[in-house]
Amino acid sequence: MSAYGDAGLGLLGDPMRRAIFETLARRPSSVGDLAERLPISRPAVSQHLKALKDGGLVVSHAEGTRRIYRLDPQGVAALRSWLDGVWEHALADFHKFAEQAAADETAGTDHADPSCKE
């Protein structure tokens, strides 16, 4: 899963690709719709969509002569799962650090306070 998370985050590292992703999160769109909303050409939109699709974050379907793109729920869920794992690990480490800092402070206070009798 780590490799998938890295790939997903890498795909979203590009500002235009991230803007396309965020737009598709609000509503499915065609290449033309996206190009009208963003400051890039249709070919550039297509190129970004291909990368997002190859990375498993976007799917498309034919609607008449147009292709409509939307987020791939499975790909987004996998990316979210990876991010949740990273976040849980970070919170656990922070919790350990906070507990150790509190223990160190308590231990230091007891010995540094001259009114404290042992």
Side-chain angles (χ1 to χ4, degrees):
M1 184 63 74
S2 178
Y4 182 83
D6 294 344
L9 289 178
L11 288 170
L12 297 175
D14 181 278
M16 276 302 119
R17 208 169 288 144
R18 194 168 49 251
I20 290 169
F21 183 85
E22 290 170 359
T23 301
L24 294 176
R26 289 189 286 281
R27 70 173 174 240
S29 302
S30 68
V31 171
D33 293 338
L34 291 165
E36 287 176 8
R37 289 188 210 115
L38 299 168
I40 58 175
S41 67
R42 290 171 79 119
V45 169
S46 293
Q47 189 174 19
H48 286 302
L49 285 168
K50 181 181 179 339
L52 290 167
K53 191 172 183 178
D54 291 347
L57 296 177
V58 168
V59 294
S60 67
H61 69 275
E63 201 170 278
T65 60
R66 303 179 331 157
R67 293 211 64 76
I68 304 299
Y69 293 83
R70 65 177 175 80
L71 298 186
D72 181 346
Q74 290 179 328
V76 173
L79 181 59
R80 180 170 179 185
S81 176
W82 179 83
L83 285 169
D84 285 346
V86 171
W87 184 244
E88 287 174 20
H89 183 74
L91 287 177
D93 284 351
F94 178 75
H95 183 73
K96 287 178 194 173
F97 175 80
E99 284 181 336
Q100 185 60 50
D104 290 349
E105 186 175 305
T106 301
T109 303
D110 289 345
H111 297 302
D113 186 354
S115 66
C116 185
K117 303 212 180 205
E118 293 184 43

